[in-house]
Amino acid sequence: MKKRTIATLLTTALVASFAVAGCGNSASTNNAGDTEEASVDTEEVTAETTTDAAVAPGEEAGFTEYPIFEDEEVGFLNVSAVYFQPVPMSNGNESTDGFDIHLEADISALSNNLGFGVGDWVPYLTVDYKVTGSDGSTAAEGTFMEMSASDGPHYGANIALPNADTYSLQITIHSPEENGYLLHTDAETGPGGTFDEYFANGNLVVNYDGWEYTPQEW
Amino acid sequence: MLTYLIKTTEGLLSASIMLGLILSYSKTNFDKRGKRVTLIGIVAGLAASIVMSIMKNATSKIDTGRWNLRIFSLALIAFVLFLLFTINGVRSRTKKAGEVLSEAALGVLAFTVLLYALPDVWAYPYSFLVTEQTVLSTDFLYKLIGYLLGIILVFIVGLAIYQGSERMKAAQSGLLLKLVLLVNAVRQITVGLQIMLAKRMIVSNHVLFSIAKFSSNHSDSFIYAAMILAVIIPIILWMRSFRVKEPYSNPAEHRKIRAKWRNTRRWATTAIITLFLCLMNMTVVKAIDNREVELSPVEDAVVKDGNVYVSFEQVSDGHLHRFGYVTESGTQIRFIVIKKPNSSAYGIGLDACDICGETGYYEKDGQVVCKLCDVVMNINTIGFKGGCNPIVISYSIMNGNIIVPVEGLLEYESEFK
């Protein structure tokens, strides 16, 4: 009888541990980064993994974003970078073969006199990315494409990043004017500013060092 | 084809070896109830893996990392219990309870092995379909063949390991099972660490990240370790087969013993050959599959009066053609031309795109593919702006020639460094 009780208890513990393992929530840590306009060198970033905003509270979603850095301010822009599983996209980009992650830059407006509301996604940007390994070699580089996910529009790309390493990520943002974006210039309807106020010295650059990355099974 | 042969081999080989050893252990050491528990674990694992595969691909309910942590936790507890209750002293002291728990633990291990390994493999045909759009394409067929060959290969490995293991001494096969499960447990702990670090469930530090980085960059080592342990089985059986000293009382018994060991050698040979084929898949075939695509050479074109002339005869075959203009600074600005299917129109653009730069395009199975991002171009949209399409250049058509102004090409000199 006693042994049967032990067996029952151990079996219960086995099942309970399975349930408990499934109940853990993602932990969060605190942010402690230095921010500079035009060239941001962030020593440490901490943020919680965030799930897709379209998912109801309490519901576990398959769409979990893994943060790289959050809320770096450069020019009139607030920039965050995340990654998650490579995703099929429209217009011939359906295959995810050969890709390890979907790298994404969320770029929204800070207070500005260019007509963008604070927090609005900023369109017409050319956004280049460069991922550099700890040995200084370029692991991936290119230009993001504009796209929409269930949590809204962003700049992103599926990339191959098969090796674990401590990477540096550089995001270079060109003026919307390069892609033909116009501003009203008259006193009555114009927002009052020009892109030159932010891009006169060239593109806006966010550098983040210390991205500890290991490939995930998606 | 090769990609999916490699993927299924890498994805299923460890699981196949473990299942072969688990089934053999169960058959040799457990009574009817224990064997049934193992079988239930396998059937439940198969069923759960199908459900998981559907949920992963058809819903957004599955966070794979979090589910893997659950599976690993369950497997690690089952592994510890299995080790504990198969120690002779513990087993004899705990008697019935220990017996039941070791059987349950092995059943749970079989369940977790399948639940972890199979969902992605079930979903591969769906991913071919997403890429190829139809099951009636040659590429779909090739991918399916590679996929099925991989599954058949690892199935035979598992079968040969099972057959070989049950012909070994129980203590030897039991030890091998525990060592393979130990390798699996170490892998699960390191992958679990990678997941927890990426999800910020634990605070990273230099030591933890170094372990995660090293184990991630050497993840194949766990498969190789399982293969090395598995290959011990056929080696031992081969050696034993040449030193058979089983007694017999008549020629018929002698023939029976010889036939038994001949059969054993066949299973041992099968295990060695299939493990070798798996090794080839993961090394030589993988290297071939990953080799860089070489762009076709730049073809001759006439340059006169500030224009590049490409005659229709050069490009009317419907294949991709690459031309170039070398600037004064020595930079070659490349452009591509392809006759559009079922049309007399031509798709013309730079051999570069805004997103991937000057990486170039190549032709594969009648399709134009970006070398960097593997995006398959719609040939009919080449010449239009957008996405990964070739950068649009100005050109005119006159007297059977495509005429590309050098001035227009020079605007993109900086794209070709």
Side-chain angles (χ1 to χ4, degrees), chain B residues 170-361:
Chain B
Q172 288 175 336
S173 61
L175 178 63
L176 275 177
L177 169 63
K178 287 168 189 171
L179 288 173
V180 170
L181 290 176
L182 179 65
V183 169
N184 187 51
V186 174
R187 183 184 176 278
Q188 288 175 333
I189 290 168
T190 58
V191 174
L193 176 66
Q194 292 161 26
I195 295 167
M196 288 190 283
L197 287 175
K199 285 183 171 293
R200 311 271 169 94
M201 294 168 83
I202 52 174
V203 179
S204 180
N205 62 42
H206 179 71
V207 174
L208 289 179
F209 183 70
S210 296
I211 294 169
K213 178 180 167 181
F214 182 84
S215 58
S216 174
N217 290 341
H218 297 84
S219 58
D220 281 354
S221 306
F222 294 106
I223 306 176
Y224 291 133
M227 289 172 79
I228 290 167
L229 290 168
V231 89
I232 290 173
I233 295 169
I235 290 171
I236 288 177
L237 290 176
W238 262 96
M239 285 163 58
R240 271 180 60 196
S241 75
F242 291 116
R243 288 183 282 129
V244 176
K245 286 178 185 167
E246 291 180 34
Y248 56 88
S249 53
N250 56 54
E253 272 187 16
H254 190 199
R255 280 197 299 277
K256 199 173 170 185
I257 291 167
R258 278 163 55 196
K260 183 182 85 176
W261 281 100
R262 202 162 46 239
N263 196 25
T264 298
R265 274 200 297 274
R266 281 179 186 151
W267 278 116
T269 309
T270 305
I272 287 175
I273 290 172
T274 49
L275 282 169
F276 177 75
L277 288 175
C278 289
L279 181 67
M280 289 295 102
N281 276 351
M282 292 165 59
T283 53
V284 179
V285 178
K286 195 173 186 178
I288 292 169
D289 191 45
N290 289 341
R291 71 176 184 267
E292 196 172 332
V293 177
E294 290 207 7
L295 296 180
S296 60
V298 170
E299 299 173 35
D300 292 332
V302 176
V303 181
K304 66 175 183 183
D305 305 331
N307 293 304
V308 183
Y309 288 77
V310 176
S311 69
F312 283 175
E313 288 81 45
Q314 284 178 277
V315 293
S316 59
D317 58 4
H319 290 291
L320 180 74
H321 296 270
R322 200 179 319 276
F323 301 93
Y325 174 79
V326 180
T327 66
E328 285 177 5
S329 61
T331 304
Q332 187 176 52
I333 303 170
R334 304 187 310 270
F335 63 95
I336 56 170
V337 180
I338 186 167
K339 191 169 185 289
K340 296 187 177 181
N342 307 316
S343 165
S344 57
Y346 290 87
I348 300 161
L350 275 194
D351 195 19
C353 80
D354 285 326
I355 294 157
C356 299
E358 60 151 329
T359 179
Y361 299 88

Side-chain angles (χ1 to χ4, degrees), chain A residues 141-176:
Chain A
E141 68 177 325
T143 303
F144 285 135
M145 293 181 273
E146 293 167 90
M147 62 193 71
S148 279
S150 58
D151 60 351
H154 62 265
Y155 296 89
N158 287 338
I159 68 168
L161 199 60
N163 295 323
D165 201 355
T166 304
Y167 290 105
S168 297
L169 174 63
Q170 183 182 71
I171 291 180
T172 305
I173 304 164
H174 300 240
S175 167

